[in-house]
């Protein structure tokens, strides 16, 4: 089993706004932990925000970036935190995409050979007749350009919001 741990989340839920101070985990809903022993089942996604216009699939740091993008853009998006990639909660994904008819996939990896390509194929196979627009992927660049800052490489709220708008335009 492999766990990926984005170091950017150590100081708090990084939402892609590098120009603002980090907000601490204290008081954040994801920081709440039940008393005593508990466990989360692998393969169960969490709907972090209900919405009707478009489904956003994300994991790790990009969940917080997607939530910020939705907040700043005012788009009524459903944001799904995949939480695990294998096993994948395809039922939650399918239910949401069939409801909204649109899908935006957000991840930090490169577009070419990134996990978003697999997600896109799975959504296309299962939701083809309900899709009202092409599936949009918002990803890291395939090749970092010289002298780029980290925040230029990874998708930020503005790039995610642009992806949401493209999905709505169809």
């Amino acid at each position: 089993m492999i766990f990926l741990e984005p170091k950017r989340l150590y100081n708090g839920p990084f939402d892609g706004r590098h120009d603002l101070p980090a907000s601490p985990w204290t008081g954040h809903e994801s920081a709440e932990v039940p008393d005593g022993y508990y466990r989360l089942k692998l393969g169960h996604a969490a709907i972090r925000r209900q919405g009707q216009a478009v489904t956003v699939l994300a994991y790790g740091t990009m969940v917080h970036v997607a939530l910020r993008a939705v907040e700043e853009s005012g788009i009524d998006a459903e944001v799904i935190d995949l939480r695990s990639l294998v096993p994948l909660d395809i039922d939650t994904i399918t239910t949401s995409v069939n409801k909204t008819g649109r899908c935006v996939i957000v991840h930090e990896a490169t577009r070419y050979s990134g996990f978003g390509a697999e997600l896109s194929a799975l959504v296309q196979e299962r939701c083809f007749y309900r899709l009202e627009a092409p599936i949009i992927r918002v990803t890291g660049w395939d090749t970092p350009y010289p002298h780029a800052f980290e925040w230029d490489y990874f998708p930020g709220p503005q790039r995610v919001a642009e992806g949401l708008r493209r999905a709505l335009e169809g």
Side-chain angles (χ1 to χ4, degrees):
M1 189 170 298
I2 298 173
F3 291 93
L4 302 176
E5 183 179 64
K7 289 189 274 186
R8 264 192 264 186
L9 295 179
Y10 286 0
N11 293 328
F14 180 73
D15 62 6
R17 295 293 308 269
H18 61 86
D19 55 328
L20 298 176
S23 54
W25 284 110
T26 309
H28 191 273
E29 67 181 50
S30 296
E32 294 298 317
V33 178
D35 290 332
Y37 179 78
Y38 78 98
R39 65 174 133 171
L40 298 174
K41 289 184 176 181
L42 288 176
H44 290 272
I47 298 174
R48 298 292 179 200
R49 183 188 187 282
Q50 296 283 339
Q52 299 296 318
V54 59
T55 298
V56 179
L57 305 178
Y59 55 93
T61 306
M62 292 296 111
V63 172
H64 304 288
V65 174
L67 288 168
R68 170 64 77 145
V70 168
E71 176 187 322
E72 289 179 358
S73 68
I75 294 172
D76 184 22
E78 183 151 291
V79 178
I80 298 178
D81 179 354
L82 299 176
R83 299 200 298 191
S84 69
L85 303 180
V86 178
L88 182 67
D89 187 353
I90 195 66
D91 292 336
T92 298
I93 293 168
T94 303
T95 299
S96 179
V97 173
N98 281 336
K99 175 179 79 172
T100 66
R102 300 170 193 285
C103 181
V104 174
I105 298 167
V106 183
H107 65 78
E108 294 181 52
T110 59
R111 181 177 175 83
Y112 182 79
S113 294
F115 193 74
E118 180 67 21
L119 284 172
S120 181
L122 291 168
V123 169
Q124 183 75 8
E125 289 169 359
R126 288 167 173 78
C127 305
F128 179 76
Y129 293 107
R130 300 296 291 272
L131 286 171
E132 298 176 24
I135 298 165
I136 303 295
R137 288 183 290 157
V138 181
T139 67
W141 303 117
D142 285 330
T143 305
Y145 43 90
H147 306 38
F149 293 105
E150 177 184 12
W151 54 83
D152 291 330
Y153 176 76
F154 297 110
Q158 183 177 5
R159 281 181 51 204
V160 175
E162 288 168 7
L164 293 169
R165 285 189 282 278
R166 284 197 341 256
L168 292 174
E169 291 167 0

